Amino acid sequence: MRIRICAVGRLRPGPERALVDDYLARFARTGRALGLGPAEIREVEARKGGMEAEAALLDRALPAGAAVCALDERGRMTGSPDFAAWLARERDAGRAELAFLIGGADGLAPTLRDRADRTLSFGPMVWPHMLVRVMLAEQLYRAAAILAGTPYHRA
């Protein structure tokens, strides 16, 4: 199952980019044998038209037929083992693609968020959208490590 992270804004070279690249490379190596990955990031420009303009660009970045998970502070909070189990269920259901949506500084437009198959939250705190990419990339790698039975995740 291929993963696409559709995100508003460009992640510039720097520590966040290095972390995302590292975790996605780890995810690709660990997930390959599990039928997970690779993961790619599709970035869209932040727009002056606000969330609705960004939503139109994000919608175009979604792969056809993909399951969609919106990252939003109002979403469901889950633990890493449950996240890993959900990824495995999506894979086992025959999903070819899974897309994660990360909005811009103002979040996701409700029209796009409400269309998602699942809405996930990294907690009630608001996180900078660039850090959300890092957190998602790490959780994808952690999920693959859990499913592979490696010692990375210690609960």
Side-chain angles (χ1 to χ4, degrees):
M1 178 173 69
R2 291 178 305 276
I3 306 290
R4 183 176 293 174
I5 300 168
C6 302
V8 173
R10 305 277 179 213
L11 192 55
R12 295 187 177 110
E16 294 93 350
R17 168 66 69 185
L19 284 168
V20 168
D21 291 346
D22 180 50
Y23 284 125
L24 291 183
R26 291 183 194 195
F27 173 69
R29 282 191 307 271
T30 306
R32 186 177 302 120
L34 303 167
L36 295 173
E40 69 167 305
I41 297 178
R42 181 75 48 94
E43 297 176 320
V44 302
E45 293 294 330
R47 292 289 170 162
K48 290 187 177 167
M51 290 187 295
E52 289 299 332
E54 293 169 352
L57 295 173
L58 286 171
D59 188 48
R60 286 198 296 267
L62 289 172
V68 177
C69 178
L71 278 81
D72 186 88
E73 65 190 21
R74 291 167 287 271
R76 180 173 177 247
M77 289 185 281
T78 187
S80 297
D82 290 336
F83 179 69
W86 172 71
L87 281 180
R89 284 192 305 275
E90 291 294 317
R91 176 203 59 204
D92 295 347
R95 295 277 194 185
E97 302 236 25
L98 174 60
F100 290 91
L101 296 175
I102 301 172
D106 295 321
L108 288 170
T111 55
L112 186 59
R113 183 183 63 235
D114 294 344
R115 285 186 19 226
D117 299 296
R118 182 180 181 107
T119 306
L120 180 66
S121 171
F122 285 142
M125 291 181 167
V126 176
W127 296 97
H129 60 283
M130 295 301 181
L131 283 182
V132 170
R133 294 184 200 197
V134 174
M135 295 163 62
L136 176 59
E138 193 280 337
Q139 284 300 303
L140 288 168
Y141 168 59
R142 183 175 297 274
I146 288 168
L147 295 171
T150 70
Y152 179 75
H153 178 74
R154 295 173 181 87

